[in-house]
Amino acid sequence: MGMNAGSQKIIADLLSARTGQQLTEDRSWRIGTALSGIFRQIGISNVDQLVCLLDQPAYSTLSQQVVEALLNNETYFFRDRAMFDQLSKQVLPEIAKQRKEEKTLSILCAGCSTGQEVLSLGMMLLEQKARWAGWKLDITGTDISHGAIATARASTYSQFEIQRGLPVSQMLAHFNETPMGWEANEELRSLTRFRVHNLLDPMPAIGSFDLILCRNVLLYFDSDTRQRAFARLMEVLHPNGWVMLGAGETIVGHTDQLELVKGGIGLYRPVESGFEVQDAVCAR
């Protein structure tokens, strides 16, 4: 692959400094593959050559290109379907009761990648029209990757992407086929907005959220960085809100402000919310 340990450390340090993500040993083998497009673009053949160019003025955007290439933007519609079922059957009905006077629902998808999670939630809300009639609905997707957010804003997907997790009936109900691909229709797009944001930075002043999804993002952070990320999420979570993490993620050792919801999959509430939570002794 043409990469010595010094070059690997420089790339790993760059990713950590820009995003907080750690390039662990099991991910380091991906470096050459992930950066191969950049190699071709600038006419080099390996990581050592790339590192030599990073601080040259003529390549001022190269470090950002490297970071974008290394970010894992794997996603698809209704990923981990059981978690979406849980939102539909348990969380959203509860929020509808909590917010019935204000009739506002605000959701944040942190680390939303190319937008499929946000649009999945939008489809779910549109298919519950009776429950949300007269409500102001808002789903905000954030991601550190400029490229991912550009794709999310376009909300247009290839045949392969649109078929990953999305039944044909929903595809035809919420997307229009265009020369560029399958584009989310205006009704679905009207519920969503996307912005580039680093989870470790303060959130722009856009209010608090009734539900925050932050799934499969914290996996790549070390313990200190996870604590910082949870602190940022808590700053914008409604005092009676909900947080959903990936099924393989945990709050243990990272925040004492959230508790696992009894019987939930990756579902948490603020400690003072008064909702029935899992007994810490028998939490799995």
Side-chain angles (χ1 to χ4, degrees):
M1 186 167 57
M3 175 172 58
N4 63 43
S7 296
Q8 180 172 320
K9 185 175 188 310
I10 288 169
I11 296 295
D13 288 349
L14 173 63
L15 183 68
S16 178
R18 293 287 183 92
T19 71
Q21 289 196 16
Q22 305 303 306
L23 197 63
T24 52
E25 284 298 317
D26 60 326
R27 293 176 73 206
S28 61
W29 66 269
R30 291 181 57 247
I31 293 177
T33 306
L35 300 181
S36 58
I38 297 176
F39 296 168
R40 288 193 299 273
Q41 182 185 333
I42 60 179
I44 61 175
S45 58
N46 60 55
V47 177
D48 294 340
Q49 292 172 319
L50 178 74
V51 166
C52 292
L53 299 176
L54 282 175
D55 57 359
Q56 294 192 17
Y59 294 92
S60 58
T61 63
L62 187 56
S63 60
Q64 183 59 34
Q65 288 177 267
V66 168
V67 169
E68 294 265 343
L70 290 172
L71 292 171
N72 180 7
N73 289 318
E74 167 69 8
T75 188
Y76 49 90
F77 291 101
F78 292 97
R79 184 179 185 181
D80 301 320
R81 176 70 72 161
M83 302 188 90
F84 279 93
D85 290 345
Q86 182 175 243
L87 292 176
S88 178
K89 294 171 183 173
Q90 180 179 5
V91 178
L92 291 173
E94 191 69 27
I95 293 175
K97 284 193 287 187
Q98 291 169 5
R99 308 289 277 169
K100 63 179 184 293
E101 300 301 324
E102 301 94 334
K103 282 191 163 41
T104 61
L105 171 64
S106 189
I107 300 175
L108 170 66
C109 294
C112 72
S113 187
T114 45
Q116 285 93 324
E117 180 178 78
V118 172
L119 294 169
S120 297
L121 288 166
M123 286 182 267
M124 185 184 293
L125 296 178
L126 289 174
E127 289 165 10
Q128 300 176 353
K129 275 199 163 67
R131 175 178 291 153
W132 306 111
W135 282 61
K136 182 179 184 299
L137 306 174
D138 181 79
I139 312 169
T140 298
T142 66
D143 200 277
I144 197 169
S145 167
H146 291 255
I149 289 297
T151 299
R153 284 179 175 147
S155 297
T156 302
Y157 303 92
S158 68
Q159 189 72 40
F160 171 74
E161 291 168 328
I162 200 76
Q163 288 179 320
R164 290 193 71 195
L166 198 60
V168 171
S169 58
Q170 282 182 306
M171 178 180 86
L172 296 176
H174 300 289
F175 289 81
N176 300 314
E177 191 172 12
T178 75
M180 302 299 292
W182 288 88
E183 181 182 23
N185 65 25
E186 190 53 44
E187 185 179 33
L188 179 54
R189 291 167 70 104
S190 70
L191 303 183
T192 67
R193 54 180 167 166
F194 297 95
R195 62 175 70 215
V196 176
H197 180 256
N198 186 335
L199 183 55
L200 305 176
D201 293 338
M203 182 69 68
I206 49 178
S208 64
F209 295 95
D210 303 297
L211 169 63
I212 295 176
L213 279 74
C214 185
R215 302 193 303 154
N216 309 311
V217 177
L218 304 174
L219 291 170
Y220 305 115
F221 292 167
D222 63 22
S223 183
D224 288 348
T225 309
R226 286 180 193 174
Q227 290 180 31
R228 289 168 54 204
F230 276 118
R232 290 300 188 203
L233 294 178
M234 294 307 297
E235 288 171 3
V236 294
L237 181 67
H238 189 279
N240 208 19
W242 303 70
V243 173
M244 177 174 274
L245 304 179
E249 294 171 309
T250 179
I251 63 168
V252 176
H254 308 309
T255 179
D256 57 5
Q257 295 179 274
L258 292 169
E259 295 178 296
L260 184 65
V261 172
K262 190 171 186 178
I265 311 169
L267 199 58
Y268 299 85
R269 301 296 306 273
V271 170
E272 301 299 324
S273 68
F275 197 79
E276 186 180 14
V277 295
Q278 186 88 356
D279 180 357
V281 175
C282 56
R284 293 286 182 265

